[in-house]
């Protein structure tokens, strides 16, 4: 049996190969099965291996020069570069080119608080829900079904009830966005947890369930529950209450409230940022299935169905809705920036006084800038990818980038940039024992081994290029905990503190870039106190890690079975 290379490289073949593997139950015991898989793998990796061989066979000086061409070897994704803003000094403001793509929100660093623990995150959620007066907007992959999650739902019910009693007609609106497939898993699920709120407060509560347009037709009928989540998800994690916004990678589940380490940042008294994310969640909600009181789902009137309707038409509508939110917010912020700059040039304080009166007090001058980065490749939106690639490309010699992901499965473009640019990298990833799939039943239990295999391959390439000092891998390990943190911290050359961090839902992997809906923010600050907060956050995470070396992969718990090695290249783009 033989396979044409096109079969392996085409998008739909990946889905069909996944389905074949699932239906076979990953039973790769016979020589014939392994032979077939080996041929597929060889074809699939042929062009990539030729490139790796070409680079690795060079001497170190030649390899270094060759790797400067790494961005040219990656898929043709547009990269945005721009000189520092001519109106601003060097330093944190060098990143203002990002506002060419997304709105720029200037705030005071005193409004930013970095959280460090799941318990702190959970308690803050409850406090914010209980004190909300106008809006509660929560976007997550799913809502768990345990006691802690029920307590959150009870808090929502109590707050809605108080709002009704206080005025007779409630001004409080609750909007919840979850993923359809993950939120529908099992008999007791996210939907059944939220239906009582819909039944009791039908005018105040909205629950939207995003369904990827890529899961449709025969594929949707054949792929079983749980595995259907590999095709694409709503992965954004944003929790906002009135004008306070929490950005995180954590879901609404008990593990994320107790012993699953993630990252969390609170932006307080930030109405423009809260408005933006409210509009973003509303836009995604409008193209999502709406949960009804009887546990059925419906699309909004006149909206194209995500898996029954025309896929191209649906994606065009979704693109238009999301880009309207981004562009309108960007226009508003540009006008505000222009007015503020014009006012400061004239020495006038009238605009500031008017703004202070409208907000009830004098706001401090911004020393921190927030840039929302959206990635929705199914809709043709690649902003986060463009900004991340540009940050990696432009990182200067002696700059340091601390990058962390709970699931180490970088895209080829990101790997090429890390290996081909001059900044120092400290990459934090999960050891097998703190991987969220460690100890799982069935096929999922082999996922940590697949990540070990991917990690080993990348580490081997680092060694092949003699980059061990510049690119260092570190594994997070903590007894009784799992690891889910993601993001990066950028330290400019000669600086002991970071001036930029990325925080949100993306994992820097294929799924984040190509399959799922993702959002994070770039926080740029010139305030030393906030830079110190971010530095301490980074140090706290990296303190629980050990440096990866060749001996790491000789440990018994790093043994990877043959069938995992065979299957991983086929399915790595699904997790």
């Amino acid at each position: 049996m033989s396979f044409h290379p096109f079969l392996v490289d085409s998008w739909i073949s990946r889905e069909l190969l996944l389905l074949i593997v699932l239906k076979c139950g990953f039973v790769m015991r016979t020589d014939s099965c392994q032979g077939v898989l080996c041929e597929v793998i060889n074809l699939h990796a042929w062009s990539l291996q030729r490139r790796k061989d070409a680079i690795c066979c060079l001497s170190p000086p030649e390899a270094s020069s060759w790797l400067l061409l790494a961005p040219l070897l990656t898929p043709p994704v547009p990269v945005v570069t721009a000189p520092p803003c001519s109106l601003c000094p060097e330093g944190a403001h060098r990143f203002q080119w990002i506002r060419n793509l997304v709105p720029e929100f200037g705030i005071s660093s005193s409004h930013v608080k970095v959280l460090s623990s799941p318990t702190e995150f959970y308690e803050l959620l409850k406090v914010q829900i209980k004190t909300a007066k106008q809006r509660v907007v929560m976007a997550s992959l799913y809502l768990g079904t345990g006691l802690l999650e029920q307590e959150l739902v009870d808090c929502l019910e109590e707050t809605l009830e108080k709002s009704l009693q206080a005025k007779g007609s409630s001004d409080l609106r609750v909007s919840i966005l979850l993923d359809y497939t993950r939120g529908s898993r099992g008999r007791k699920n996210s939907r059944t947890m939220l239906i009582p709120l819909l039944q009791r407060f039908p005018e105040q509560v909205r629950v939207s369930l995003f369904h990827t347009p890529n899961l449709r037709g025969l594929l949707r009928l054949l792929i079983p529950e749980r595995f259907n989540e590999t095709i694409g998800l709503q992965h954004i994690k944003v929790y906002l209450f009135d004008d306070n916004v929490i950005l995180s990678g954590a879901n609404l589940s008990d593990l994320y409230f107790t012993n699953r380490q993630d990252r969390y940042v609170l932006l307080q008294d930030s109405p423009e940022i809260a408005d933006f994310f409210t509009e973003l969640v509303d836009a995604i909600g409008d193209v999502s299935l709406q949960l009804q009181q009887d546990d059925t789902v419906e699309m909004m009137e006149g909206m194209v169905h995500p898996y029954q309707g025309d896929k191209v038409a649906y994606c065009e509508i979704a693109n238009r809705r999301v880009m309207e939110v981004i562009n309108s917010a960007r226009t508003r912020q540009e006008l505000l920036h222009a007015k503020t700059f014009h006012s400061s040039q004239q020495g006038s304080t009238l605009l500031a006084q008017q703004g202070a009166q409208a907000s009830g007090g004098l706001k401090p001058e911004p020393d921190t800038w927030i840039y929302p980065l959206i990635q929705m490749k199914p809709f043709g939106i690649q902003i986060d990818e463009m900004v991340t690639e540009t940050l990696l490309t432009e990182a200067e010699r002696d700059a340091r980038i601390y990058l962390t992901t709970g699931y180490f499965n970088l895209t080829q473009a990101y790997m090429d940039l890390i290996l081909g640019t001059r900044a120092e990298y400290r990459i934090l990833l999960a050891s097998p024992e703190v991987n969220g799939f460690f100890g799982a039943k069935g096929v999922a239990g082999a996922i940590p081994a697949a990540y070990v295999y991917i990690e080993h391959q990348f580490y081997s390439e680092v060694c092949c290029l003699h980059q061990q000092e510049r690119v260092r891998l570190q594994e997070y390990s903590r007894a009784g905990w799992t690891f889910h943190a993601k993001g990066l911290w950028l330290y400019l050359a000669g600086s002991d503190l970071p001036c930029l961090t990325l925080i949100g839902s993306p994992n820097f992997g294929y799924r984040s870039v190509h399959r799922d809906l993702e959002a994070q923010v770039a926080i740029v600050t010139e305030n030393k106190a906030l830079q110190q907060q971010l530095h301490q956050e980074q140090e706290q995470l990296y303190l629980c890690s050990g440096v990866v070396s060749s001996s790491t992969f000789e440990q018994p718990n790093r043994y990877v079975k043959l069938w995992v090695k065979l299957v991983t290249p086929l399915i790595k783009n699904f997790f």
Side-chain angles (χ1 to χ4, degrees), residues 445-484:
I447 291 178
Y451 282 114
V452 169
Y453 183 60
I454 294 169
E455 176 190 352
H456 194 183
Q457 286 184 312
F458 180 74
Y459 180 76
S460 297
E461 191 165 354
V462 170
C463 294
C464 179
L465 297 170
H466 307 284
Q467 301 283 341
Q468 299 96 310
E469 293 301 315
R470 190 181 65 82
V471 180
R472 183 183 300 169
L473 300 182
Q474 297 178 226
E475 288 188 350
Y476 186 93
S477 183
R478 189 176 179 186
W481 284 65
T482 55
F483 184 69
H484 198 251

Side-chain angles (χ1 to χ4, degrees), residues 123 126 137 141 213 270 324 344 363 376 499 501 512 543 564:
E123 293 301 324
K126 290 193 295 182
V137 179
L141 174 61
S270 303
E324 282 173 357
S344 64
K363 290 189 176 182
M376 300 178 181
C499 64
T501 190
S512 294
L543 278 174
V564 175

Side-chain angles (χ1 to χ4, degrees), residues 166-213:
K167 296 185 177 180
S169 61
S170 175
D171 292 331
L172 179 63
R173 294 293 181 268
V174 174
S175 177
I176 299 174
L177 171 67
L178 305 173
D179 181 74
Y180 176 88
T181 53
R182 181 62 183 89
S184 302
R185 186 201 293 180
R187 286 189 177 181
K188 187 177 183 182
N189 52 43
S190 304
R191 294 162 62 165
T192 59
M193 292 286 289
L194 293 170
I195 284 175
L197 287 181
L198 281 172
Q199 293 172 338
R200 187 166 181 184
F201 308 99
E203 301 300 319
Q204 287 79 47
V205 177
R206 178 191 190 189
V207 178
S208 304
L209 302 170
F210 174 79
H211 190 294
T212 177

Side-chain angles (χ1 to χ4, degrees), residues 352-353 355-364:
Q353 291 172 351
Q357 291 172 359
S359 62
L362 186 63
K363 290 189 176 182

Side-chain angles (χ1 to χ4, degrees), residues 31 47 92 159 211 265 321 331 455 465 468 480 510 542 558 560:
D31 293 338
S47 60
T159 302
H211 190 294
V265 64
R321 285 287 290 114
T331 300
E455 176 190 352
L465 297 170
Q468 299 96 310
Y510 187 94
Y542 278 70
R558 304 309 168 96
V560 180

Side-chain angles (χ1 to χ4, degrees), residues 364-404:
E365 285 294 314
D367 57 6
T368 300
W369 294 268
I370 311 296
Y371 302 93
L373 309 179
I374 311 303
Q375 183 75 12
M376 300 178 181
K377 189 69 170 286
F379 303 155
I381 300 172
Q382 299 171 249
I383 296 171
D384 179 66
E385 178 186 6
M386 293 164 65
V387 171
T388 301
E389 289 195 1
T390 304
L391 288 173
L392 299 182
T393 303
E394 299 296 323
E396 58 193 336
R397 184 186 294 276
D398 296 327
R400 286 174 293 139
I401 293 179
Y402 288 78
L403 185 150
T404 179

